[in-house]
């Protein structure tokens, strides 16, 4: 069984529908790509600007803290004879100046190297009480630091719940001693002061120029990790490259594949008063959320548009190809010899209408021609039947018994006649005139067909009759 070929209707649908769907898809892809590109570009601009703004806020805050330390050190550098109560009052005032400060110490190093240290800390109820020696990384008091020093993060308890850093600044007293003022800053209060951020996940981190963490929500990172160390531990060269970009001292943005959060964008900016870097990040899925929503919306619109296009094509092609389908069915019946088929008339003036009308006329003309041909064939068959009867009659007039005269062994006769047409004028005959005389006739009547055959029959009869009265063939013919 031959495979059924696709109809012209489906060819039209495919010819129009596929390009339309491809155009829809192309517009969707280009539009989505443009949205994604613009979203990322806007993100780079806005997030980098926000990172710089937050870095500036940190810079202003750390500058203020440094100023507090410098003013206090300057106040206490005038004499080493300040009463301890007055010193404690000044140090407690530092705690009340800022929420981040929970420890303040005065360290006086005499010219002989003798150290005097007074510390106050914030108690659990928020009041200022005497504290022990300054906690955290040791401070080298022998080297002055008029511009201040910022420590790395450290833990004040074993549970890692009280992470802190200190800031120290020195001033030379009039008696030549070196006065140090330190401020301890509680890291877990950074978010209370600065966050959550209005960009990205709301989380942020602060790094030192050596890649160590100053602040992060994960205490173990602050105490133990550095960016180069993480790159080595995870065998991730991309982390090392990210660290180089972070610690370059410039504001910027970097795309990074995080094991936990997937693809993220990291934005960073330097904090000018320190050698630290502020950084925050945002998930790429959040960046592209609007673009993805538009993509989903575009897909829905494309699907609906495709369905509408296909429905329109089905309706239009049905109207266009319905006359062709009817015409095809009529021609198929006509090819099987069904001349009673009626080709539907089409009143449209397009090519399909003209084709339908031409086919309608062709069927009518063909039917008339076939009717005429049938009559001619019937007439010819009747004529041929008559000729066959005439041939049988003609052939029956010729002698067909051989040998014709078995009693005469002195001669033998055999004859055969094959007319060129159904009947003709050629004939032969032989008969005994007497016991000693044989008449033998071979004749050819001019012409062919029935007239010659009739003349042959008449001539044969006349020759037989006249041969009995004539004495010679010449007399018979004359």
């Amino acid at each position: 069984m031959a495979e059924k070929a696709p109809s012209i209707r489906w060819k039209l649908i495919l010819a129009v529908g596929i390009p339309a769907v491809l155009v829809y898809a192309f517009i969707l892809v280009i539009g989505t790509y443009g949205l994604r590109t613009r979203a990322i570009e806007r993100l780079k601009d806005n997030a980098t600007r926000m990172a710089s703004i937050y870095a500036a806020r940190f810079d202003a805050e750390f500058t203020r803290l440094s100023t507090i330390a410098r003013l206090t050190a300057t106040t206490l550098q005038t004499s080493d004879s300040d009463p301890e109560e007055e010193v404690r009052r000044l140090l407690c005032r530092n705690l009340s100046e800022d929420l981040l400060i929970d420890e303040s110490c005065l360290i006086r190093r005499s010219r002989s190297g003798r150290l005097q240290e007074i510390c106050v800390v914030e108690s659990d109820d928020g009041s200022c009480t005497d504290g022990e020696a300054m906690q955290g990384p040791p401070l080298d008091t022998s080297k002055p630091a008029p511009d201040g020093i910022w420590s790395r993060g450290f833990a004040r308890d074993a549970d890692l719940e009280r992470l802190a850093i200190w800031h120290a600044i020195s001033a030379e007293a009039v008696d030549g001693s070196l006065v140090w003022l330190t401020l301890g800053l509680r890291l877990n209060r950074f978010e209370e002061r600065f966050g959550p951020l209005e960009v990205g996940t709301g989380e942020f981190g602060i790094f030192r120029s050596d890649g160590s963490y100053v602040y992060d929500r994960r205490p173990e990172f602050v105490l133990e990790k550095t960016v180069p160390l993480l790159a080595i531990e995870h065998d991730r060269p991309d982390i090392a490259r990210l660290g180089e970009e972070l610690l370059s001292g410039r504001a910027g943005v970097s795309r990074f594949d995080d094991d936990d959060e997937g693809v993220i964008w990291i934005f960073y900016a330097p904090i000018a008063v320190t050698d630290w870097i502020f950084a925050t990040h945002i998930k790429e899925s959040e960046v592209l959320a609007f673009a993805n929503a538009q993509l989903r919306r575009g897909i829905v619109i494309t699907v609906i548009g495709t369905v509408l296009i296909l429905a329109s094509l089905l309706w239009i092609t049905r109207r266009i190809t319905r006359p062709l389908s009817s015409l095809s069915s009529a021609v198929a019946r006509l090819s099987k010899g069904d001349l009673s088929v009626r080709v539907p008339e089409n009143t449209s003036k397009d090519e399909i209408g003209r084709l339908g009308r031409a086919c309608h006329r062709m069927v009518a003309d063909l039917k008339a021609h076939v009717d005429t041909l049938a009559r001619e064939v019937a007439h010819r068959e009747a004529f041929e039947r008559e000729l066959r009867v005439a041939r049988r009659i003609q052939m029956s007039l010729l002698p067909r018994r051989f040998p014709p005269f078995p009693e005469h062994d002195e001669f033998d006769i055999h004859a055969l006649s094959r007319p060129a047409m159904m009947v003709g004028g050629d004939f032969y005959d032989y008969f005994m005139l007497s016991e000693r005389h044989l008449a033998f006739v071979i004749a050819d009547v001019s012409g062919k067909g029935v007239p010659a055959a009739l003349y042959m029959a008449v001539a044969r009869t006349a020759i037989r009759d006249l041969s009995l009265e004539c004495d010679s063939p010449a007399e018979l013919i004359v």
Side-chain angles (χ1 to χ4, degrees):
M1 183 177 178
E3 184 178 354
K4 186 177 180 181
S7 65
I8 190 172
R9 180 184 182 188
W10 285 107
K11 290 180 179 179
L12 285 173
I13 290 174
L14 293 177
V16 178
I18 290 178
V21 172
L22 290 178
V23 169
Y24 257 116
F26 178 77
I27 293 174
L28 178 63
V29 170
I30 294 299
T32 302
Y33 176 78
L35 284 175
R36 291 170 66 93
T37 302
R38 288 192 295 272
I40 290 176
E41 290 301 323
R42 284 196 300 268
L43 172 72
K44 289 180 180 180
D45 294 339
N46 295 336
T48 302
R49 184 167 56 252
M50 290 296 294
S52 299
I53 291 174
Y54 276 101
R57 286 182 57 186
F58 275 97
D59 182 72
E61 185 65 24
F62 291 152
T63 299
R64 192 176 69 82
L65 293 173
S66 182
T67 301
I68 291 174
R70 179 175 286 105
L71 290 176
T72 304
T74 302
T75 301
L76 296 176
Q77 75 178 4
T78 56
S79 173
D80 61 354
S81 59
D82 294 319
E84 288 190 8
E85 287 302 319
E86 180 64 19
V87 172
R88 286 188 176 84
R89 186 184 65 79
L90 289 174
L91 296 179
C92 287
R93 187 178 66 181
N94 290 340
L95 269 62
S96 63
E97 289 284 339
D98 198 286
L99 176 66
L100 296 178
I101 304 174
D102 68 346
E103 180 187 76
S104 182
C105 294
L106 170 68
I107 303 174
R108 188 184 297 272
R109 183 185 178 90
S110 66
R111 298 178 65 180
S112 62
R114 184 174 62 87
L115 294 178
Q116 177 190 8
E117 185 171 352
I118 302 175
C119 289
V120 295
V121 297
E122 181 183 299
S123 63
D124 294 337
D125 61 1
S127 61
C128 180
T129 61
D130 291 341
E132 300 176 359
M134 186 184 72
Q135 302 180 49
L139 172 65
D140 185 1
T141 58
S142 62
K143 298 178 180 179
D147 294 328
I149 301 173
W150 296 89
S151 76
R152 65 168 298 160
F154 60 92
R156 288 195 176 135
D157 53 35
D159 296 334
L160 307 182
E161 293 182 356
R162 297 181 62 197
L163 296 180
I165 58 173
W166 52 253
H167 173 61
I169 194 168
S170 67
E172 186 176 355
V174 293
D175 58 359
S177 62
L178 197 59
V179 177
W180 287 88
L181 196 289
T182 67
L183 300 177
L185 309 178
R186 183 82 65 85
L187 289 181
N188 58 3
R189 292 179 178 175
F190 271 34
E191 284 198 21
E192 298 178 26
R193 172 64 61 84
F194 300 105
L197 305 186
E198 298 176 2
V199 64
T201 61
E203 302 178 5
F204 61 90
I206 301 176
F207 302 86
R208 294 171 61 89
S209 59
D210 60 359
S212 61
Y213 286 77
V214 175
Y215 172 75
D216 192 271
R217 280 191 171 184
R218 298 160 292 187
E220 67 276 11
F221 276 59
V222 175
L223 299 177
E224 303 171 1
K225 304 295 183 180
T226 65
V227 175
L229 181 60
L230 288 173
I232 296 173
E233 288 180 352
H234 296 278
D235 192 20
R236 294 281 300 271
D238 53 337
I239 296 180
R241 289 193 296 270
L242 175 62
E244 293 176 0
E245 295 178 11
L246 281 173
L247 307 178
S248 64
R250 300 185 301 270
V253 56
S254 180
R255 188 174 184 267
F256 181 72
D257 190 359
D258 186 74
D259 293 335
D260 298 326
E261 300 186 79
V263 178
I264 60 175
W265 289 83
I266 299 177
F267 307 92
Y268 48 89
I271 301 174
V273 73
T274 65
D275 61 350
W276 297 348
I277 304 296
F278 168 84
T280 185
H281 72 276
I282 184 172
K283 297 179 182 179
E284 188 174 74
S285 58
E286 296 178 5
V287 177
L288 302 178
F290 177 75
N292 292 334
Q294 292 296 102
L295 174 61
R296 290 190 292 271
R297 179 184 176 187
I299 291 174
V300 172
I301 293 174
T302 300
V303 171
I304 295 175
T306 302
V307 171
L308 292 177
I309 288 175
L310 292 177
S312 301
L313 286 175
L314 286 171
W315 182 78
I316 293 172
T317 54
R318 183 174 181 273
R319 289 183 58 87
I320 292 175
T321 61
R322 183 167 54 185
L324 289 176
S325 299
S326 302
L327 185 59
S328 175
S329 300
V331 171
R333 291 176 57 189
L334 185 63
S335 66
K336 296 177 181 179
D338 184 4
L339 297 179
S340 64
V341 64
R342 182 178 180 275
V343 178
E345 294 188 17
N346 194 325
T347 58
S348 64
K349 297 182 180 180
D350 56 13
E351 291 83 352
I352 296 177
R354 292 196 294 271
L355 178 61
R357 290 189 291 273
C359 189
H360 183 76
R361 289 193 300 269
M362 180 192 70
V363 171
D365 294 343
L366 181 61
K367 187 174 181 181
H369 177 72
V370 168
D371 291 341
T372 302
L373 184 62
R375 289 193 297 270
E376 292 177 355
V377 168
H379 178 71
R380 183 179 302 155
E381 288 177 351
F383 181 70
E384 289 178 353
R385 283 195 300 269
E386 294 175 358
L387 287 179
R388 284 193 293 271
V389 172
R391 178 183 176 84
R392 286 195 297 271
I393 295 173
Q394 181 186 13
M395 297 304 293
S396 67
L397 295 175
L398 300 176
R400 290 183 295 175
R401 186 168 66 89
F402 301 102
F405 309 108
E407 66 276 10
H408 295 276
D409 56 1
E410 62 269 27
F411 65 89
D412 189 16
I413 299 176
H414 190 89
L416 176 66
S417 176
R418 288 183 178 175
M421 300 181 66
M422 197 68 83
V423 293
D426 300 334
F427 75 97
Y428 66 89
D429 196 9
Y430 51 86
F431 49 90
M432 296 298 295
L433 297 174
S434 65
E435 285 295 327
R436 293 183 58 82
H437 293 85
L438 171 66
F440 184 84
V441 181
I442 299 175
D444 183 11
V445 179
S446 298
K448 304 291 183 184
V450 175
L454 293 175
Y455 191 81
M456 179 272 288
V458 173
R460 176 182 178 277
T461 303
I463 290 173
R464 275 183 174 262
D465 292 342
L466 294 175
S467 64
L468 298 174
E469 301 175 1
C470 297
D471 295 331
S472 66
E475 183 182 356
L476 176 63
I477 294 173
V478 173

